[in-house]
């Protein structure tokens, strides 16, 4: 069985705009999340689902994987569903 972790992230939060790239101990928050998720040894793949190129670029810079999704999503579950569809199409 393959287990995939999808981490939704976007820059346009109303409560804390730019939060994913805000630094905590000199490292962007999304980097901390990505690293911790990757430590889970039952996961086969960890992917950040985002509509922001800055986030995707950062994830790529740490040798991670990001999937670009649309800006229209109102919920993280919708963003993850689109990302899963994209990943499934790539594997066919």
């Amino acid at each position: 069985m393959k287990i995939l972790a999808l981490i939704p992230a976007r820059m346009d939060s109303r409560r804390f705009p730019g939060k994913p790239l805000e630094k905590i101990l000199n490292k962007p928050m999304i980097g901390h999340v990505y690293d911790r998720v990757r430590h889970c040894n039952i996961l086969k793949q960890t992917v950040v689902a985002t509509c922001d190129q800055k986030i995707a670029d950062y994830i790529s810079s740490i040798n991670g994987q990001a999937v670009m999704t649309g800006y229209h999503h109102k919920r993280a579950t919708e963003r993850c569903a689109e990302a899963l569809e994209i990943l499934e199409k790539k594997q066919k």
Side-chain angles (χ1 to χ4, degrees), residues 3-88:
I3 301 174
L4 164 71
L6 283 173
I7 304 167
R10 66 186 185 98
M11 295 291 285
D12 291 335
S13 168
R14 283 184 240 161
R15 292 180 290 165
F16 193 158
K19 180 171 80 172
L21 295 179
E22 189 68 31
K23 290 192 176 178
I24 302 169
L25 300 174
N26 295 317
K27 182 177 186 176
M29 185 272 302
I30 192 67
H32 286 284
V33 173
Y34 189 83
D35 287 345
R36 280 164 179 74
V37 171
R38 287 189 45 116
H39 278 75
C40 181
N41 55 5
I42 66 168
L43 298 172
K44 296 296 180 195
Q45 190 176 11
T46 301
V47 179
V48 174
T50 187
C51 59
D52 294 289
Q53 191 62 51
K54 287 181 181 180
I55 294 171
D57 290 344
Y58 172 73
I59 295 299
S60 293
S61 79
I62 61 169
N63 295 315
Q65 184 179 1
V67 172
M68 293 299 294
T69 60
Y71 286 93
H72 61 281
H73 301 297
K74 294 185 181 189
R75 292 174 184 79
T77 53
E78 295 170 355
R79 185 170 314 287
C80 287
E82 181 186 355
L84 185 57
E85 287 177 12
I86 292 167
L87 291 168
E88 286 175 335

